[in-house]
Amino acid sequence: MGNLKTETLSYALNNNSDNQNSIKNMTSVQLYTELTKHLCEDFKPSEYLNLVSHSGGLNDFPFSMLKKLEMVPQSPIHHPEGCVWNHVCLVVDQAAVVRHKSRNPKVFMWAALLHDVGKAQTTRTRRGKITAYDHDTVGAKLSIEFLSQFTKDEVFIKMVSMLVKYHMHPLYVLKSLPFGDIHGMKAETEIEEIALLGFCDRMGRQGSDMEEEQQNYEEFLKKCHAKCENKT
């Protein structure tokens, strides 16, 4: 199943003692604030995320929703990088590269971090095949539960949760799957933000082809805009 715990702990290994003690002494609200800062400012937010995990900062609710992802396997065919946590870290780092393109980087980066949080509840192994059906809709609900512990900004929470809810739609639309709901997506979130998150999601896999994913990004936008213009 590959490594179930990320090996990217360079941040934790540098200035180990001071950084870990600082995290241990934080309240949950302070940790949320620090996570937001690193998500929005760091070149590689995964380094701080792994430091937090290594220091025990993800052990308590609601951060434990993220901690669980370290032990959730993925298909080695589609996710050779290993567990869900490894994938999330890659996605967050990719999101940091393009967050300047987002209309709301804070929303975008939190959506990148929480986009697969539903996999802890939905991952199953059936006949040797690892699946996580409905992890997007489950994840949307969990992201609301997570963020509601720290903020009463309902607009922010909804924006993050809708990105999580629709983050699989680039795949659904490109493959013309029945799960795709372009009009619903347009009504509840912004198609351009979904396209950007979908690009990061695809690039957050070992062996991804950037040129191919850029083409997928553009084709998704093209199909969505054509569908909206036709209103059919």
Side-chain angles (χ1 to χ4, degrees):
M1 291 185 186
N3 51 328
L4 285 183
K5 190 171 183 180
T6 184
E7 297 175 358
T8 316
L9 292 174
S10 58
Y11 197 111
L13 296 176
N14 293 321
N15 301 318
N16 190 320
S17 180
D18 289 345
N19 284 324
Q20 290 190 53
N21 286 335
S22 175
I23 290 170
K24 290 176 181 178
N25 292 328
M26 287 182 189
T27 65
S28 60
V29 173
Q30 288 174 328
L31 181 54
Y32 168 76
T33 300
E34 280 299 302
L35 284 173
T36 300
K37 176 182 176 181
H38 285 276
L39 286 171
C40 293
E41 297 180 3
D42 288 5
F43 177 70
K44 289 187 66 175
S46 66
E47 293 187 338
Y48 185 73
L49 291 172
N50 280 302
L51 171 61
V52 172
S53 177
H54 188 69
S55 304
L58 301 182
N59 292 344
D60 297 330
F61 181 83
F63 302 108
S64 54
M65 293 184 190
L66 295 170
K67 184 67 175 180
K68 290 176 181 178
L69 301 182
E70 293 181 357
M71 298 305 297
V72 180
Q74 298 183 111
S75 166
I77 297 175
H78 302 294
H79 287 280
E81 68 277 1
C83 68
V84 177
W85 178 251
N86 290 354
H87 168 64
V88 167
C89 285
L90 291 172
V91 172
V92 166
D93 285 349
Q94 181 61 49
V97 175
V98 299
R99 66 186 167 217
H100 65 283
K101 296 182 180 181
S102 171
R103 295 184 182 182
N104 192 320
K106 179 182 174 181
V107 167
F108 180 70
M109 293 305 297
W110 268 105
L113 178 59
L114 295 173
H115 81 283
D116 273 352
V117 71
K119 285 187 174 180
Q121 289 189 13
T122 60
T123 298
R124 302 286 186 275
T125 301
R126 300 177 177 89
R127 300 178 182 177
K129 181 182 179 181
I130 301 173
T131 63
Y133 298 133
D134 298 322
H135 75 274
D136 43 1
T137 54
V138 171
K141 296 176 183 177
L142 291 177
S143 65
I144 293 173
E145 183 178 3
F146 185 107
L147 295 172
S148 294
Q149 305 298 313
F150 306 109
T151 178
K152 295 182 179 180
D153 187 341
E154 294 183 1
V155 174
F156 168 72
I157 294 172
K158 182 177 181 180
M159 289 174 71
V160 173
S161 67
M162 289 301 100
L163 288 183
V164 173
K165 177 181 177 179
Y166 287 103
H167 82 272
M168 290 293 293
H169 272 55
L171 175 65
Y172 299 158
V173 171
L174 289 173
K175 292 186 175 294
S176 299
L177 297 175
F179 319 112
D181 179 9
I182 293 175
H183 293 306
M185 176 174 52
K186 186 176 186 296
E188 295 192 289
T189 186
E190 297 183 47
I191 291 174
E192 289 76 12
E193 295 292 299
I194 293 295
L196 197 61
L197 181 57
F199 172 78
C200 296
D201 191 12
R202 297 294 298 179
M203 287 301 300
R205 305 162 187 243
Q206 287 184 350
S208 295
D209 185 321
M210 179 172 287
E211 183 176 349
E212 178 183 352
E213 297 309 332
Q214 181 65 35
Q215 291 175 352
N216 288 335
Y217 167 83
E218 294 171 0
E219 182 64 19
F220 169 71
L221 286 174
K222 181 179 177 181
K223 284 192 172 186
C224 287
H225 291 316
K227 185 78 170 179
C228 292
E229 288 173 4
N230 293 333
K231 295 183 180 180
T232 58

